[in-house]
Amino acid sequence: MKDWWQATFPKGRQSLVISDVHGYPVQIAYGEIGTGRPLFLLHGMGSWSYNWRYTIAPLSKHFRVICFDAKGFGFSDKPWLRREKNGHQVIELERIVQALCDEPAIIVGESIGALISLALAQKNPQLVGRLVVINAPIFTERLPHWAMEILAQTPIEVLQAIDDLRLAYLFAPLVREVMAIERRKVLFDPSILTQEDVYWITYPFIELPGTLVKVAEELQIAAKEIKHWQANKPNMLTQIQEDLDRINCPTLILWGDRDSWFPATHGERLHKSIPSSQFQILDNCCHDASTGAAKVVNQSILKFLQGTNFL
């Protein structure tokens, strides 16, 4: 099967080295296409740049589209000797944006990528010219999926052993089938998920050691955040919620009307909390909006950027 990076970006998969929150160098995989204002695409939990496959080409006609895999995901480094600190994703996003562009960027984030984008717009507003958030877990009270709960409760050492034994590789057909079933559940029309999609979505879990461990580690951080929020202990999620009114760049909030993970009422609440925001419901759309409602998402982003003089 043809390499997705090579087929999608003129220079294929490129590498950027940044310092992580511990000060160690990590390699970030990314691709870029198009010219003009920089536009970054941030994927969700357990995903990688492939999830933006229907968005990259349409937006690259107007912008310099930069799609990257967050540390621990996709084709980026997965350092397993160092445990992650809460909030590391925001710091790393900040360093990626600073390294790849020298002007305020358009940031488009989906799911956990949207939450990280909101935090960046609060922490370093001069980096963000326009913001688009899709189905963000900003007011979530639990991990939204049973598999996430299991990974969040499984000791990292157990998952490391599974990874070391390459069990996902040995049972690749089963892994692909299970993940295909679960991914179809977050699509309004499950039939649009092709076998090629399943191959690439599952590729990091099957072919790239460390993926399962790093995803689980992120889920454990998220579970701890939610637990602290429920107990009224200091946590990053509450801080982001309380500082939403500090986001002053024009912001578009897109939300699937059938999102069973994070209901559309969360989007309405987010819209009321960000002064310069617009809110749009995506009809017949579940959580995976970048796949299930790609055409409407792309049109909405372009309309928003044109209306705010960024196109």
Side-chain angles (χ1 to χ4, degrees):
M1 191 173 294
K2 190 174 182 180
D3 180 83
W4 178 78
W5 293 95
Q6 292 292 336
T8 305
F9 303 102
K11 295 183 179 180
R13 173 162 52 93
Q14 297 175 261
S15 294
L16 168 71
V17 176
I18 63 166
S19 294
D20 68 8
V21 70
H22 298 283
Y24 290 92
V26 291
Q27 184 172 277
I28 300 298
Y30 77 98
E32 66 171 89
I33 183 172
T35 59
R37 294 182 185 270
L39 185 152
F40 288 82
L41 297 171
L42 280 66
H43 60 76
M45 180 69 73
S47 298
W48 58 286
S49 295
Y50 183 78
N51 228 60
W52 294 107
R53 60 195 178 279
Y54 297 124
T55 298
I56 295 166
L59 295 190
S60 70
K61 296 176 183 178
H62 308 276
F63 304 101
R64 176 193 169 206
V65 174
I66 303 168
C67 207
F68 71 91
D69 295 348
K71 185 187 72 178
F73 296 84
F75 289 73
S76 289
D77 276 353
K78 302 164 182 61
W80 59 273
L81 288 175
R82 302 183 298 276
R83 290 292 167 251
E84 300 296 356
K85 290 184 178 180
N86 191 23
H88 74 92
Q89 307 101 320
V90 182
I91 294 171
E92 289 154 6
L93 172 59
E94 179 181 62
R95 292 173 181 173
I96 291 168
V97 172
Q98 289 173 329
L100 292 177
C101 68
D102 56 4
E103 61 178 300
I106 304 158
I107 307 291
V108 180
E110 183 172 39
S111 196
I112 190 66
L115 182 65
I116 296 166
S117 302
L118 290 167
L120 179 67
Q122 295 169 341
K123 180 178 182 289
N124 205 333
Q126 64 268 29
L127 293 181
V128 186
R130 299 291 184 272
L131 182 62
V132 180
V133 293
I134 308 170
N135 296 339
I138 181 66
F139 301 115
T140 185
E141 299 178 4
R142 59 179 175 82
L143 292 177
H145 192 272
W146 62 267
M148 293 181 177
E149 290 282 2
I150 291 175
L151 288 175
Q153 296 173 23
T154 304
I156 289 293
E157 293 75 17
V158 173
L159 296 171
Q160 186 67 60
I162 293 172
D163 224 352
D164 290 343
L165 292 171
R166 299 298 307 277
L167 293 184
Y169 180 81
L170 293 174
F171 296 97
L174 177 62
V175 172
R176 291 194 181 102
E177 182 62 26
V178 171
M179 291 191 72
I181 290 171
E182 295 307 316
R183 288 304 291 260
R184 289 190 175 103
K185 289 180 180 178
V186 293
L187 292 169
F188 180 76
D189 179 5
S191 68
I192 67 173
L193 194 75
T194 67
Q195 285 304 309
E196 182 178 2
D197 290 337
V198 173
Y199 173 84
W200 284 116
I201 288 168
T202 59
Y203 187 94
F205 290 92
I206 293 171
E207 302 288 346
L208 304 177
T211 300
L212 179 65
V213 172
K214 297 309 290 186
V215 170
E217 193 172 3
E218 297 295 347
L219 288 169
Q220 291 181 10
I221 291 173
K224 187 176 180 180
E225 274 287 292
I226 294 171
K227 186 176 180 180
H228 283 185
W229 171 77
Q230 292 171 336
N232 291 318
K233 294 181 179 179
N235 65 88
M236 181 178 161
L237 189 58
T238 294
Q239 184 178 345
I240 296 174
Q241 293 172 355
E242 292 177 347
D243 290 342
L244 287 171
D245 60 355
R246 294 177 55 189
I247 297 176
N248 51 31
C249 66
T251 301
L252 174 63
I253 301 165
L254 299 176
W255 220 281
D257 66 338
R258 306 294 182 89
D259 189 346
S260 60
W261 286 16
F262 314 121
T265 52
H266 288 189
E268 295 170 359
R269 184 177 169 188
L270 180 61
H271 170 48
K272 292 176 181 178
S273 301
I274 301 178
S276 53
S277 67
Q278 302 175 28
F279 178 54
Q280 180 182 339
I281 289 286
L282 303 172
D283 294 331
N284 297 326
C285 175
C286 297
H287 185 67
D288 188 356
S290 59
T291 299
K295 186 175 181 180
V296 177
V297 166
N298 298 339
Q299 291 173 343
S300 298
I301 291 172
L302 290 173
K303 182 179 178 181
F304 164 69
L305 294 174
Q306 183 177 36
T308 56
N309 301 315
F310 236 61
L311 179 59

